[in-house]
């Protein structure tokens, strides 16, 4: 660490009693990521520390499936490209879907550009208001100041009670020099004879964020000698700092101590795992990874990237143990299966590390390609078919049972409808033929912002499904739609009831549970039309596995009108993918991994780009 001056901290018994109760630190209001590190190279500084979601006529369609090609879609099928560029993802046309990565962001951008001009006026004024709010913020000096100059600066600001806290914060946010922060500490210690915990914490944040590891070591010694224990923020940040140095094993010790009083975060584990891998101790790294997973935590992408990137590059240090390639390969494939089972998508940098790891396996000839899939679910690189989006009979029954129990008949079901209405709807559905499509009438009608054309919009969608595609359709609506008005033309509503089966709920009822019930009751072939992404209803499901099953079913069954509905033109629907976007393998000799190429993907969207890996046989 070189020659340094360790700060001698005087902490009175009274001060310790103020900030610790029952052996635990009393500064829980301080939140991470404050990086705890302190050291001063000034020998003159001696510190005292204190902490502070038709009628019945018509033919029965039975259970016949509605194929992807049945519903009129806005996309053409692609062709298989047997090559595939291994250096970058091909710029293939991606078929449109409400679940495609980046759709929500693009839609928001379009709406923002269409916003009224008054918004632009407001935006022009906003910088001035922001500037006014920040006018009183402290500006840190560019050089270290002696105590007398710090005193003058404080007086010029009106001697604010939190001057040193705000100044240290300003140094951190502006990336100020550490020497300036040290001179501020010297001033405060000279003036008060002690340093508050909050001030010390902000100083430590500056040290760690700027990579002053030697200072971190000094602060660690000070805090260990001054306080009986460390809080979770201090422990987390010492773990971070030590993990990037040769003293990484001390981070492991801090992690073990942290577990006695707090639950370590995925970042805590990830820091030490990365350190162990970097220093060749793969056994320790994987043991910690298992502990992280067993704790029900989800690793950060950087942790997985380190496990793939560093694997096999270093020999174990003296006193550490390295794993064989076969052992490590089994563990890495386990990560991919974990991603599959939890519907996790690697970011592009992680996907690149996975590709490099496969291609580096000794004695195995793996090749990776960046690619996309055709609308029919064929990999454009190797030509293999991806897994179907359709649920198996077992999966469908499992999902149907859970949705019925937790969404349709859940504890809050009668806040969405009444017992009499729900029973009436169940009898209605039971007497009707199995539907091919269930339409959320109000949702579809509201897609047209012109209130005078809402019933016409709904009629055009129903006509497309019934007259042009010959499907059995159920339209769900609310009773107010039957009252003639500017929005609900009597003739249009009569035509809708002649073409399709209709059920109108009370105006205070939610129609989504009815839509889900009718769709699932009709069978796995039945689809539904709505723009609602059902996030609130998915949240009612009891566990992650069932939520992922619901999302898979939703992506394979939800129809969304594509573009504007206009009289005289056929209604088109966004395409429904025929394949599941999930990590998948075929016999262990090939892997297809969907990855995030964009940071604009919302949680309910899926990636559109794939990493194709194949082993030469």
């Amino acid at each position: 660490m070189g020659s340094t001056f360790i700060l001698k901290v005087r902490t009175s018994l009274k001060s310790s009693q103020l900030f610790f109760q029952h052996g635990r630190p009393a500064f829980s209001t301080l939140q991470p990521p404050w990086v705890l590190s302190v050291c001063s190279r000034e020998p003159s500084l001696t510190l005292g520390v204190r902490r502070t979601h038709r009628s019945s006529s018509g033919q029965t369609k039975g259970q016949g499936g509605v194929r992807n090609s049945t519903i009129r879609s806005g996309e053409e099928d692609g062709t298989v490209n047997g090559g595939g560029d291994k250096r970058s993802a091909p710029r293939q046309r991606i078929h449109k879907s409400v679940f495609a990565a980046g759709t929500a962001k693009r839609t928001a951008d379009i709406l923002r550009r269409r916003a009224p001009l008054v918004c632009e006026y407001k935006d022009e004024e906003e910088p001035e208001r922001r500037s006014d709010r920040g006018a009183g913020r402290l500006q840190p000096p560019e050089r270290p100041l002696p105590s007398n100059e710090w005193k003058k600066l404080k007086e010029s600001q009106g001697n604010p009670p939190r001057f040193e806290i705000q100044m240290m914060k300003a140094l951190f946010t502006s990336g100020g020099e550490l020497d300036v922060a040290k001179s501020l500490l010297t001033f405060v210690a000279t003036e008060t004879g002690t340093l508050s915990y909050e001030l010390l914490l902000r100083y430590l944040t500056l040290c760690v964020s700027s990579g002053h590891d030697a200072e971190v070591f000094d602060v660690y010694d000070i805090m260990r000698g001054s306080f009986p224990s460390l809080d979770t923020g201090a422990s987390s940040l010492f773990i971070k700092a030590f993990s990037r140095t040769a003293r990484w094993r001390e981070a492991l010790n801090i992690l073990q101590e942290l577990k006695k009083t707090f639950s370590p975060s995925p970042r805590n584990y990830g820091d030490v795992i990365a350190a162990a891998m970097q220093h060749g101790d793969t056994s320790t790294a994987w043991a910690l990874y298992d502990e992280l997973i067993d704790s029900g935590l989800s690793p950060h992408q950087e942790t997985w990237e380190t496990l793939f990137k560093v694997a096999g590059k270093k020999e174990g240090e003296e006193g550490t143990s390295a794993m064989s390639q076969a052992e490590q390969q089994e563990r890495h494939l386990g990560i991919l299966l974990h991603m599959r089972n939890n519907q996790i998508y690697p970011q592009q940098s992680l996907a690149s590390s996975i590709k490099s790891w496969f291609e580096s396996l000794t004695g195995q000839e793996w090749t990776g390609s960046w690619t996309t899939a055709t609308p029919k679910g064929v990999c454009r690189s190797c030509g293999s078919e991806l897994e179907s989006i359709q649920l198996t009979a077992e999966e469908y029954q499992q999902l149907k049972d859970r949705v019925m129990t937790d969404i349709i008949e859940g504890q809050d079901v009668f806040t969405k409808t009444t017992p009499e209405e729900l029973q009436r709807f169940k009898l209605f559905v039971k007497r009707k033929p199995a539907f091919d499509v269930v339409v959320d009438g109000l949702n579809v009608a509201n897609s047209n912002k012109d209130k005078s054309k809402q019933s016409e919009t709904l009629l055009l969608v129903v006509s497309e499904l019934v007259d042009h595609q010959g499907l059995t359709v159920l339209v769900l609506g609310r009773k107010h739609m039957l009252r003639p008005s500017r929005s609900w033309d009597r003739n249009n509503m009569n035509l809708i009831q002649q073409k399709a089966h209709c059920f109108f709920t009370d105006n205070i009822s939610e129609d989504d549970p009815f839509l889900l019930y009718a769709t699932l009751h009709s069978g796995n072939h039945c689809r539904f039309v709505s723009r609602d992404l059902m996030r609130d209803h998915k949240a009612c499901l009891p566990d992650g596995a069932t939520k992922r099953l619901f999302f898979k079913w939703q992506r394979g069954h939800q129809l969304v009108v594509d573009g504007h509905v206009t009289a005289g033109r056929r209604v088109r629907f966004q395409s429904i993918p025929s394949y599941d976007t999930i990590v998948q393998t075929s016999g262990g000799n090939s892997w297809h991994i969907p990855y995030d190429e964009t940071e604009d993907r919302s949680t309910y969207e899926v990636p559109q780009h794939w990493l194709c890996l194949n082993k030469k046989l």
Side-chain angles (χ1 to χ4, degrees):
M1 196 169 71
S3 61
T4 63
F5 291 96
I6 304 295
L7 296 180
K8 299 180 179 180
V9 182
R10 297 193 308 266
T11 306
S12 66
L13 176 60
K14 180 178 179 180
S15 179
S16 296
Q17 290 174 342
L18 285 174
F19 296 96
F20 282 87
Q21 298 173 357
H22 307 293
R24 296 170 68 102
F27 42 85
S28 57
T29 56
L30 296 171
Q31 300 177 357
W34 293 118
V35 187
L36 297 178
S37 56
V38 74
C39 171
S40 175
R41 305 299 178 187
E42 299 189 25
S44 61
L45 184 58
T46 302
L47 306 176
V49 184
R50 71 173 186 267
R51 289 185 168 184
T52 61
H53 152 273
R54 118 192 168 180
S55 63
S56 60
S57 61
Q59 291 185 333
T60 300
K61 297 296 178 183
Q63 300 291 333
V66 181
R67 301 183 181 276
N68 289 338
S69 58
T70 304
I71 304 298
R72 183 177 174 87
S73 168
E75 293 295 329
E76 299 296 332
D77 186 16
T79 57
V80 176
N81 179 359
D85 187 349
K86 300 182 181 180
R87 292 169 295 179
S88 60
R91 295 298 174 186
Q92 304 284 358
R93 183 186 181 190
I94 304 300
H95 53 283
K96 184 186 295 183
S97 167
V98 69
F99 299 109
T103 299
K105 176 65 164 54
R106 288 191 295 272
T107 301
D109 289 343
I110 291 173
L111 293 175
R112 191 178 298 112
R113 289 195 294 269
R114 293 177 179 174
L117 292 176
V118 65
C119 293
E120 295 181 9
Y121 175 74
K122 290 180 180 179
D123 287 342
E124 290 174 0
E125 289 190 338
E126 186 65 20
E128 182 178 352
R129 291 199 296 269
R130 285 196 294 265
S131 177
D132 289 342
R133 288 197 299 267
R137 291 179 181 172
L138 297 177
Q139 295 297 324
E142 297 180 356
R143 60 176 179 82
L145 300 179
S147 295
N148 63 326
E149 292 190 31
W150 275 116
K151 185 175 182 178
K152 292 178 181 179
L153 180 58
K154 181 177 180 180
E155 290 174 349
S156 69
Q157 298 292 326
N159 286 315
R162 290 173 58 81
F163 170 81
E164 60 272 13
I165 300 296
Q166 296 300 326
M167 182 60 72
M168 191 66 74
K169 181 179 179 180
L171 282 166
F172 172 73
T173 56
S174 65
E177 292 293 331
L178 188 63
D179 286 341
V180 178
K182 288 180 180 180
S183 70
L184 174 60
L185 291 183
T186 302
F187 161 66
V188 176
T190 301
E191 288 285 301
T192 65
T194 187
L195 293 176
S196 71
Y197 180 79
E198 185 179 4
L199 177 60
L200 190 57
L201 187 62
R202 292 185 184 277
Y203 171 71
L204 298 174
T205 302
L206 178 60
C207 290
V208 176
S209 65
S210 55
H212 294 281
D213 295 329
E215 278 77 7
V216 174
F217 298 154
D218 287 348
V219 176
Y220 181 70
D221 292 335
I222 293 168
M223 297 188 74
R224 278 300 192 193
S226 304
F227 307 106
S229 64
L230 299 175
D231 75 314
T232 181
S235 299
S236 296
L237 296 165
F238 278 128
I239 288 172
K240 175 181 180 180
F242 277 84
S243 293
R244 62 194 186 196
T245 72
R247 294 174 59 179
W248 70 274
R249 286 201 171 274
E250 293 183 53
L252 180 58
N253 295 333
I254 300 172
L255 178 66
Q256 299 304 328
E257 291 183 12
L258 180 62
K259 288 190 293 185
K260 296 176 183 179
T261 52
F262 301 99
S263 296
S265 68
R267 179 67 67 193
N268 295 152
Y269 279 106
D271 287 337
V272 187
I273 289 172
M277 288 297 292
Q278 291 288 348
H279 291 85
D281 194 348
T282 54
S283 294
T284 295
W286 285 108
L288 290 171
Y289 177 79
D290 290 340
E291 194 175 292
L292 186 161
I293 296 297
D294 292 341
S295 298
L297 301 173
S298 180
H300 287 285
Q301 296 256 341
E302 294 90 337
T303 300
W304 279 320
E305 187 170 352
T306 297
L307 289 170
F308 276 101
K309 183 179 291 184
V310 183
K313 290 188 175 181
K314 290 181 177 285
E315 298 293 333
E317 297 176 340
E318 185 179 353
T320 66
S321 55
M323 299 172 66
S324 66
Q325 177 175 298
E327 291 176 307
Q328 290 206 53
Q329 182 169 345
E330 182 179 356
R331 301 309 305 267
H332 285 91
L333 296 182
I335 292 177
L336 298 183
L337 293 176
H338 177 83
M339 291 181 179
R340 171 186 172 84
N341 294 334
N342 293 276
Q343 198 169 352
I344 296 172
Y345 306 114
Q347 296 168 356
Q348 187 164 16
S349 59
L350 173 54
S352 296
S353 296
I354 293 172
K355 178 178 180 289
S356 298
W357 176 78
F358 269 97
E359 293 176 337
S360 70
L361 291 174
T362 305
Q364 303 181 39
E365 296 184 39
W366 285 90
T367 56
S369 302
W370 306 109
T371 188
T372 57
T374 70
K376 289 186 176 181
V378 177
C379 173
R380 284 191 167 96
S381 177
C382 67
S384 61
E385 290 187 9
L386 299 174
E387 293 181 22
S388 172
I389 190 68
Q390 298 303 319
L391 274 61
T392 64
E394 182 180 358
E395 290 176 331
Y396 182 78
Q397 189 60 50
Q398 177 187 344
L399 178 64
K400 179 180 177 181
D401 292 342
R402 296 314 314 176
V403 170
M404 295 297 180
T405 301
D406 299 299
I407 298 179
I408 309 302
E409 300 171 354
Q411 293 182 351
D412 63 341
V413 63
F414 297 131
T415 63
K416 305 170 185 175
T417 182
T418 63
E420 296 77 17
E421 184 176 54
L422 182 60
Q423 186 61 30
R424 184 164 58 92
F425 181 69
K426 288 182 176 181
L427 291 174
F428 170 86
V429 172
K430 186 177 181 180
R431 292 196 305 264
K432 297 298 181 179
F435 305 114
D436 294 322
V437 180
V438 179
V439 178
D440 185 339
L442 194 58
N443 184 282
V444 169
N446 284 332
S447 65
N448 195 326
K449 300 306 178 183
D450 185 345
K451 298 294 184 181
S452 66
K453 295 185 178 181
Q454 288 188 322
S455 60
E456 179 185 357
T457 298
L458 180 56
L459 176 59
L460 289 170
V461 171
V462 171
S463 298
E464 170 64 32
L465 296 170
V466 176
D467 299 339
H468 293 286
Q469 301 189 28
L471 303 174
T472 301
V473 174
L474 167 64
V475 174
L476 291 172
R478 293 185 182 165
K479 289 181 179 180
H480 72 83
M481 297 166 63
L482 296 174
R483 294 198 301 268
S485 66
R486 176 171 174 266
S487 296
W488 309 108
D489 179 80
R490 183 193 298 274
N491 184 55
N492 288 338
M493 296 307 297
N494 286 338
L495 287 173
I496 289 171
Q497 294 177 77
Q498 291 172 22
K499 294 173 183 289
H501 302 278
C502 296
F503 187 91
F504 296 92
T505 68
D506 291 337
N507 293 326
I508 61 173
S509 299
E510 289 189 25
D511 40 20
D512 289 344
F514 293 90
L515 180 144
L516 293 174
Y517 180 91
T519 306
L520 288 165
H521 185 274
S522 293
N524 202 7
H525 74 288
C526 184
R527 295 177 178 176
F528 66 93
V529 181
S530 177
R531 295 175 301 160
D532 194 323
L533 296 171
M534 308 290 171
R535 283 171 285 183
D536 292 342
H537 304 296
K538 185 171 71 173
C540 295
L541 296 171
D543 55 77
T546 307
K547 291 176 182 177
R548 289 187 290 274
L549 202 59
F550 179 88
F551 187 46
K552 178 179 179 181
W553 171 82
Q554 181 184 8
R555 284 182 286 127
H557 291 78
Q558 182 166 1
L559 291 165
V560 177
V561 175
D562 186 14
H564 296 288
V565 176
T566 307
R569 295 178 58 185
R570 292 283 300 272
V571 176
R572 303 177 73 90
F573 298 91
Q574 292 182 11
S575 62
I576 289 182
S578 61
Y579 59 92
D580 193 10
T581 306
I582 195 171
V583 174
Q584 47 198 269
T585 183
S586 178
N589 295 317
S590 71
W591 286 85
H592 287 86
I593 303 172
Y595 67 92
D596 266 334
E597 190 191 38
T598 175
E599 296 181 356
D600 297 333
R601 183 177 66 85
S602 296
T603 55
Y604 59 85
E605 297 174 336
V606 296
Q608 300 296 290
H609 294 266
W610 295 74
L611 169 59
C612 170
L613 293 156
N614 283 277
K615 183 179 180 181
K616 186 175 181 180
L617 302 177

